[in-house]
Amino acid sequence: MSDEREVAEAATGEDASSPPPKTEAASDPQHPAASEGAAAAAASPPLLRCLVLTGFGGYDKAGDRVMVLNRSGMWQEEVTVPSVQTFLIPEAMTFEEAAALLVNYITAYMVLFDFGNLQPGHSVLVHMAAGGVGMAAVQLCRTVENVTVFGTASASKHEALKENGVTHPIDYHTTDYVDEIKKISPKGVDIVMDPLGGSDTAKGYNLLKPMGKVVTYGMANLLTGPKRNLMALARTWWNQFSVTALQLLQANRAVCGFHLGYLDGEVELVSGVVARLLALYNQGHIKPHIDSVWPFEKVNVADAMKQMQEKKNVGKVLLVPGPEKEN
Ligand SMILES: NC(=O)c1ccc[n+]([C@@H]2O[C@H](COP(=O)([O-])OP(=O)(O)OC[C@H]3O[C@@H](n4cnc5c(N)ncnc54)[C@H](OP(=O)(O)O)[C@@H]3O)[C@@H](O)[C@H]2O)c1
């Protein structure tokens, strides 16, 4: 028997770095890290077309609602995935929440806890704090006592940041975030979450307290708008951070790199993180923040992409198969 299962998607997470789907979606390359979706192995939800269960996964009962963690190819109505990449959706969780959970929260969790060693009393700099990973990270910081969170985002998103638990929102468009943090915390911070790359990695490193860590997990500085910008590419490459082992030793700091897409062979490791995340969800400590939900049709996919390219989103942008929903 195959250990694959076929699922039909109910909602799929979208990322700014993903290209829009093509009509022959089956071979569609997607998120460079990983993509996610929520699906059901039952005929009941009207959005689903076809469901066949063939696998021996953790969840092998027809009718299970599952979320899927897959490296690519999730922008389609039906997918076949190894059952180890599926996780049972808790009863109280909607398909949309499930689609918004895996990539954002696994990334935030592993960066903060597995690399960052987040402890009570720590301070954390979260860049892109109003994005999907950023919102997840801030909620996870709240699960530890007395954590100070500096979060960068456009000023229009600061109310949402405060509601989510950011202690000090910083508008990086108008303020030098390094100066701002140094004013509040002259010694700097314990953890820098760095999805930006380029010169921001060095700034993050220099903001670290002794025993601090900068965890780099993205290169958003490469993207400055809807079109490829060669100047930004060159600038980011030129400003790439580098450090020697001797410098690290003398500074008592660590630099880590995280890419969920390259952990796809680490089933036990990732499943353990998902189990802890689902426990936090069931206890009411985390809740995916959904910016907007878009129907799975080409014209609206373009609108969904625009929402991200224009940096309007707060939280996750989702695609769903089926008719238009109120946003
Ligand atoms: N390594 C991994 O496994 C992994 C997994 C998931 C995501 N990631 C990376 O993590 C980052 C965040 O992903 P996400 O899904 O949370 O993003 P998102 O939800 O699309 O958030 C994007 C927001 O970040 C802000 N931003 C700040 N600087 C930016 C820049 N230079 N370019 C684009 N947006 C910028 C913008 O808001 P404001 O300007 O209004 O603040 C924008 O609306 C991305 O770089 C992604 O590739 C990595």
Side-chain angles (χ1 to χ4, degrees):
M1 261 236 212
S2 148
D3 67 346
E4 290 193 331
R5 73 190 334 179
E6 286 181 28
V7 290
E9 269 199 272
T12 181
E14 200 179 352
D15 186 278
S17 49
S18 307
K22 303 176 190 110
T23 38
E24 70 285 11
S27 60
D28 206 9
Q30 221 214 16
H31 193 299
S35 70
E36 62 204 324
S44 47
L47 299 179
L48 307 185
R49 271 195 352 185
C50 160
L51 314 165
V52 186
L53 184 69
T54 56
F56 276 117
Y59 316 105
D60 55 2
K61 197 156 54 66
D64 281 349
R65 300 190 314 147
V66 292
M67 43 192 159
V68 177
L69 184 66
N70 203 34
R71 191 165 174 154
S72 62
M74 292 297 290
W75 286 17
Q76 51 189 322
E77 290 170 345
E78 293 170 37
V79 291
T80 303
V81 294
S83 54
V84 289
Q85 288 170 223
T86 62
F87 304 93
L88 197 61
I89 301 177
E91 251 176 54
M93 190 183 279
T94 63
F95 277 118
E96 284 81 3
E97 285 179 332
L101 186 94
L102 289 177
V103 170
N104 286 344
Y105 282 81
I106 294 172
T107 301
Y109 188 99
M110 295 187 87
V111 166
L112 280 173
F113 292 106
D114 293 334
F115 272 140
N117 189 29
L118 179 64
Q119 298 290 323
H122 271 176
S123 49
V124 182
L125 169 58
V126 181
H127 284 296
M128 302 172 85
V133 178
M135 295 293 274
V138 175
Q139 289 178 11
L140 288 167
C141 285
R142 277 193 338 224
T143 65
V144 178
E145 243 176 274
N146 194 23
V147 169
T148 302
V149 180
F150 296 91
T152 64
S154 303
S156 61
K157 300 175 181 174
H158 283 196
E159 265 325 297
L161 291 197
K162 282 188 201 156
E163 276 166 29
N164 200 39
V166 172
T167 329
H168 302 288
I170 301 171
D171 179 5
Y172 68 101
H173 297 288
T174 56
T175 316
D176 181 326
Y177 67 83
V178 173
D179 291 348
E180 196 63 20
I181 292 169
K182 285 278 176 73
K183 265 190 237 159
I184 299 165
S185 175
K187 281 190 166 176
V189 295
D190 296 287
I191 302 171
V192 174
M193 293 184 63
D194 170 36
L196 298 170
S199 59
D200 288 293
T201 314
K203 287 184 188 174
Y205 179 81
N206 289 324
L207 266 174
L208 292 177
K209 290 179 181 173
M211 302 307 290
K213 296 118 196 147
V214 57
V215 187
T216 190
Y217 60 99
M219 285 287 147
N221 281 332
L222 292 174
L223 301 172
T224 53
K227 294 216 172 109
R228 189 171 296 168
N229 178 340
L230 289 177
M231 277 306 288
L233 278 172
R235 197 169 43 240
T236 306
W237 176 80
W238 182 253
N239 289 322
Q240 205 57 263
F241 177 66
S242 89
V243 66
T244 66
L246 185 62
Q247 287 167 325
L248 284 175
L249 181 155
Q250 290 168 342
N252 284 305
R253 291 174 184 157
V255 181
C256 313
F258 177 83
H259 196 307
L260 183 56
Y262 294 109
L263 282 180
D264 51 6
E266 302 297 329
V267 173
E268 268 180 44
L269 178 67
V270 174
S271 299
V273 173
V274 174
R276 290 195 283 283
L277 289 170
L278 291 180
L280 288 172
Y281 177 87
N282 288 329
Q283 292 156 8
H285 294 305
I286 57 172
K287 190 169 176 62
H289 190 102
I290 293 158
D291 172 76
S292 48
V293 179
W294 305 78
F296 203 39
E297 286 157 14
K298 211 174 175 186
V299 61
N300 287 309
V301 169
D303 291 343
M305 292 299 296
K306 217 165 148 210
Q307 173 82 352
M308 289 190 296
Q309 282 168 344
E310 292 174 357
K311 300 185 179 176
K312 289 183 180 159
N313 62 305
V314 174
K316 192 81 169 175
V317 175
L318 294 176
L319 300 175
V320 291
E324 188 143 15
K325 275 193 174 184
E326 289 287 308
N327 281 325

